[in-house]
Amino acid sequence: MRIAVCIKQVPASQETKMDPKKGILIRNGLQMTINPYDLYAIEIALRFREKIGGSIAAFTMGPPSADQVLREAFAMGVNMGYLLTDRAFAGADTLATSYTLSQAIASAGRFDIIFCGRQTTDGDTAQVGPAIASYLRIPFLSWVQEIISASADSIIVIQSVTGGRVMVQVNTPCLLSVDKDVCQPRLPTLKNKLEAKKREIVILNLENMPDTNPERYGLDGSPTKVERIFQPKRAAIGRTIAGDLDQITDTLTEKLLASLKPRN
Amino acid sequence: MELKVQSKEIQGRYEEYLRDESRLIGQGESISFPTSLGELEELTAAFWRKGQPMTVQGARTGVSGSAVPCGGHVLSMEKMNTILGLANFGSEFTMEVEPGVRLAQINEAIATGIFITDKWTNESKAVMKRFKKAGRQVFPPDPTEANATIGGMFACNAQGINVYRYGNTGSHVRELDVLLVSGEHWKLPRNQYIFDRYGCPLPGGRRIETGPLPDGSLRYRTGLGAYEGMDLVDLFAGSEGMLGIVTRLVLQLRQEALERWGVLFFFDHLENAVKFVRQTIALEWKLPGANISAIELFHQNSLHLIQEYKSKVTRLQEIPDLPPDAQGAIYIEMEGDSSQLLEEALMTLLEAFVGCGGREDDTWAATGGEIEKFKLLCHAATESVNARIDEIRLNQPTITKLCADFSAPMGRLEETLAMYLEGMEKSSFEGTILGHVGCNHLHVDLLPQNHEEYERGQELIFHWAEQTIAWGGSVVTEKGIGKIRRSLFLALATPRQLEIARTIKNFFDPMGLLNPGNML
């Protein structure tokens, strides 16, 4: 079985800076880490391989320094790593990112299952997984919480849906976006982590993609542009209302009534 | 004259200020929260003029009851929590802080480079620009409780898992301001006032006379102790707020190593874990470019308790399940500036681990920010014990934490562990052993189920303390003495040690107004 996992490098901290002109994240100088949700995707892929056999390839799109997340994936036990890096890919929105990843996956051959983490901690859109599936024309299941059974031809999962959970069977090839409940990611062994530093990573540029039209990638290929990302303004410092229960209640009621706007 | 800061009666939401993490509950009449030096001076003068005692508190994260009041006024320093500025000396930086600043606050400011500078001098602001461009800095002491205040950490001379390399909090304080009950406010730079054989020169040309002092060969001094060659700053470190109120600290920061690794090694047999510790220490000399900053032990019982606790705490879910059959685990942190040298050192350690009966797959490794998962594990080790004690206290409210926190010579490591294990087994006590095995400074927590066991546990700890002292070790370490270990300290300190401690206390606080009930 050939398994693919899509992973991403994200800022380790919530403190981020934006390029005011382009509306994109400034990644220089930030501490970066693997998207925490992707660890679950890698782990479930590893358990799949342990049960059914096969190989796992991890794909990531980013600057050259994004190889860090592929090495983390190697340390956990992934077999191969693909780094999609090219100036033409920079500034991509979720659609262009999904297209790039789908092109890279297609260029690497047929995969039976593709795993993605539920979302990233920087974008939080959860759009890339379903968009990749759409481009590859394979079925997609989101919010996968549990894998019930799997074979080379199909998988049965529990999916979280609004108001409950549903058991679904899907044929391979398919793409699953997994939630944190699906399993507990392992920590790499020392030996694997040391060896991961020496593993070869396959670099994919625009010219390696089946579609080499630069207008499909990066900022040029992005129908959406981030207008502005900003830290929400902190609310004014709260005030403490002191007193006994009656005093507090009276004061609070007075303030709430005073804050209500009169109806027209 | 009406004071700027008002005292409040201790009731309702202020009742939490009557306790700390020791689970001891005290008594107090009033509480105040000064926000500035001016308020502090005015308040303390008012109380001390009337001879009224007070207990000075930080975040109350200590486990010895040092911050638990036994009557009188409670003075919480938590609102004196401003980072006052930065300075640099060559390539080194210092951070000036009020005592209520929390360790998490310090670490976040260093990591983000974001400071509130409204009241900073222009000089500090200029240093901040250089600070942001310099290599990443770090404040080395890292006790697991990041919510602790720096004043509290200094008061008990807290350590943390990297004590192996970086020692205690006091050694990273470059300068100190302290308010005394006499009303004097001393500024104490390090290396200016040094104890000689019979006492120490003091600001203002005075001197404290102690009589003959021991030399500095003791690794840990006893509570309120001193030795020839000791810095006056270090007299206040670990003094549990009994000598004066610290109002400002200048912290020495260090350049962080470019790369850091954390590795957990799991063992089927505890003796193999100890053998591995010895080999690691012996190998350290042969690992150029790689500095070991932590060597910690988790005994099997501690691992089981963490695993049980993990299922109840959401944020611990990111830690994988611990191997159920491991009899012990050794956690090592290593840092350096060369990836290659670090990797070679780690391969050497891995070979030593296998040579001590370990299996390559029985390791967990992390670098950089991922190491936080191991910090989480270390914290969970303590929290899991607290949680268990809290469960026991539901039916047995008089029970508090029972902990042996002793430091013995490294040459006695195997005997120390054997002593603890044998004691727990013979007494049929549930307990955990973890801590700074690289320094033979282990934390042993007993979990008594009832009052009878609690009293037996105290006897057992006393027996351990006697043996530790007979070996040349110390019963006064990072958790302090406070009220929980006071009887132990008084029983086991030598007459001369007690005489020195009382001389020092009487010099600074003759009326016993500061933190009564601690230590003496």
Side-chain angles (χ1 to χ4, degrees), chain A residues 72 184 188 190-191 193 197, chain B residues 259 317 343 360 363 365:
Chain A
E72 290 182 44
Q184 181 59 246
L190 177 57
K191 188 173 180 196
K193 199 138 172 91
K197 293 193 151 222
Chain B
E259 204 166 313
Q317 302 304 315
E343 286 160 30
E360 281 181 354
T363 57

Side-chain angles (χ1 to χ4, degrees), chain A residues 46-235:
Chain A
L46 291 166
R47 293 189 190 195
F48 246 76
R49 186 186 66 192
E50 281 159 8
K51 199 161 181 186
I52 300 177
S55 64
I56 306 170
F59 292 82
T60 193
M61 187 179 97
S65 58
D67 71 332
Q68 173 215 5
V69 299
L70 289 173
R71 300 211 179 278
E72 290 182 44
F74 285 147
M76 285 176 76
V78 159
N79 301 98
M80 290 195 66
Y82 294 84
L83 174 59
L84 290 47
T85 187
D86 196 306
R87 282 182 193 274
F89 300 160
D93 68 358
T94 55
L95 193 73
T97 299
S98 311
Y99 187 67
T100 312
L101 283 164
S102 67
Q103 286 286 296
I105 291 169
S107 75
R110 181 187 182 278
F111 288 90
D112 301 293
I113 308 175
I114 304 171
F115 288 106
C116 293
R118 191 182 87 193
Q119 64 197 66
T120 61
T121 54
D122 54 358
D124 281 315
T125 65
Q127 292 170 356
V128 169
I132 293 173
S134 176
Y135 279 124
L136 294 176
R137 300 184 185 283
I138 57 176
F140 164 74
L141 291 176
S142 63
W143 294 85
V144 171
Q145 287 191 331
E146 197 178 331
I147 311 282
I148 301 294
S149 66
S151 68
D153 303 315
S154 68
I155 305 169
I156 300 176
V157 305
I158 299 286
Q159 225 189 341
S160 173
V161 296
T162 305
R165 303 186 340 149
V166 58
M167 185 182 292
V168 181
Q169 178 172 349
V170 61
N171 291 335
T172 60
C174 62
L175 191 149
L176 306 182
S177 130
V178 298
D179 203 354
K180 280 185 169 184
D181 300 325
V182 75
C183 59
Q184 181 59 246
R186 68 195 64 187
L187 280 167
T189 66
L190 177 57
K191 188 173 180 196
N192 281 355
K193 199 138 172 91
L194 288 170
E195 286 179 351
K197 293 193 151 222
K198 301 172 196 142
R199 296 278 296 279
E200 193 186 318
I201 291 174
V202 177
I203 307 290
L204 294 179
N205 310 126
L206 175 60
E207 63 197 30
N208 302 119
M209 302 297 164
D211 178 2
T212 56
N213 178 3
E215 289 179 9
R216 300 296 307 272
Y217 300 91
L219 264 178
D220 290 342
S222 300
T224 62
K225 285 192 171 38
V226 174
E227 188 71 21
R228 190 164 71 105
I229 293 183
F230 54 94
Q231 297 283 355
K233 280 184 187 170
R234 285 192 177 184

Side-chain angles (χ1 to χ4, degrees), chain B residues 20 37 72 79 109 139 148 163 180 199 202 272 302 342 359 387 407:
Chain B
D20 67 8
L37 186 57
K79 291 192 179 174
F139 179 58
V163 60
L180 305 178
L202 301 173
N272 289 346
S302 187
L342 274 174
R359 290 181 293 268
S407 172

Side-chain angles (χ1 to χ4, degrees), chain B residues 203-217:
Chain B
R206 293 164 65 197
R207 197 182 149 76
I208 178 172
E209 300 291 350
T210 58
L213 290 173
D215 62 28
S217 57

